[in-house]
Amino acid sequence: MRILICDDDIELSQQLEKILISFFQKNSLKYPEIVIYNNGTDLLQDFQSKDIVFLDIEMPGMNGIYIGNELKRQNNNAIIFVVTSYLQYLDEAMRFHVFRYLSKPLDKQRIFRNMKDALALYNNSIVKISIETKNGTFVVLSKDIVFIEANNHKTIVHLSDNDYLCIHNINYWLNQLHMPSFFQSHRSFIVNLEHVSSFDHSLIYLCNNQYQAYLTRRKYTQFKDAFLLYLESRR
């Protein structure tokens, strides 16, 4: 993992770096690479992975809104924290799906809470899943699975661009997918909350209504709560 800090306030950047190191120490996690830049030009010229970025809005030269849009264009999975004192930029920042909006001065405990959510999202985006079929085994990213559907004693794993007839049943997938983005909405369906477009009391619509999955009525409230919690973690 690489974490990048981009702020023209060097003292604040160093303070944030210490908070992040403290977070990984407290949670007994392997230290990531932490890189500090004091301007957006240098940040965008860093062509290595940018997994989590803490981004100031008001900087000389390129402002944070432009940089945030460029980062998302390069890698839509980049997790971006906006760190600023200027709340008037919130609407613009939300357009490139900023993960969290942190105000100055920095609040250590708030950063700790938000980093836990960020790591859960990061782990979900890099987890690889193997799908066994009668023709062979295929490896995909868990985030690319739209939903899984029971098919007799097998399952169909639906991706946005392909389907796989898997030799395993639905219970196998319940044991495999221990991630907050997956929810069993019906005895025959496991859906990825990341791809949900809308839902009612009986159906879940996925990928801009391209797919449908059944939702058991008794699970409606539980599903709604899980979906809203997932959306909150992505803000």
Side-chain angles (χ1 to χ4, degrees), residues 12 15 83-85 102-108:
L12 182 136
Q15 179 191 1
V83 185
T84 185
S85 302
L102 301 176
S103 57
K104 299 177 182 179
L106 299 175
D107 182 331
K108 180 178 178 179

Side-chain angles (χ1 to χ4, degrees), residues 5-10 13 36-40 42 59-60:
I5 300 170
C6 186
D7 197 309
D8 60 334
D9 185 337
I10 300 300
S13 295
I36 296 176
Y37 291 107
N38 60 13
N39 65 82
D42 289 344
M59 291 183 291

Side-chain angles (χ1 to χ4, degrees), residues 167-183:
I167 63 174
H168 297 295
N169 62 22
I170 200 80
N171 289 326
Y172 167 85
W173 289 110
L174 289 175
N175 292 324
Q176 289 291 311
L177 300 173
H178 293 296
M179 285 165 272
S181 63
F182 287 94
F183 185 93

